[in-house]
Amino acid sequence: ENAEIIIAWGYAKQRLRDADNFLARSKPLIDGLTRAGVIVDDNADRVTVDIAGFYKAQQNETIIGVKEQ
């Protein structure tokens, strides 16, 4: 099964953030989806990752969406 993973981060404090840091922070999230059985494998030929961006939130939060392809 192929999957698309969409990740968005919400922050209470608005400030500039480095996009490359979010790519690095995505790895444990994706590995967790694999270990939990949500996705079969996280190889690049089976999974695409979309960093949806950042938004203002009441508290810091991360939203992860998974779509089967």
Side-chain angles (χ1 to χ4, degrees):
E1 295 178 28
N2 293 343
E4 177 185 9
I5 300 170
I6 304 100
I7 305 172
W9 285 275
Y11 289 100
K13 292 184 180 181
Q14 297 299 297
R15 60 182 169 100
L16 294 177
R17 301 181 188 275
D18 292 336
D20 59 339
N21 290 342
F22 291 99
L23 293 174
R25 288 179 57 193
S26 299
K27 181 171 178 22
L29 299 174
I30 296 167
D31 288 345
L33 293 173
T34 303
R35 281 192 298 275
V38 175
I39 59 175
V40 175
D41 196 352
D42 62 355
N43 288 328
D45 61 337
R46 301 191 78 160
V47 172
T48 59
V49 178
D50 178 21
I51 304 299
F54 321 106
Y55 59 93
K56 180 150 178 65
Q58 295 293 326
Q59 60 186 18
N60 294 346
E61 60 188 17
T62 303
I63 297 176
I64 303 168
V66 180
K67 292 182 187 177
E68 291 184 23
Q69 294 184 321

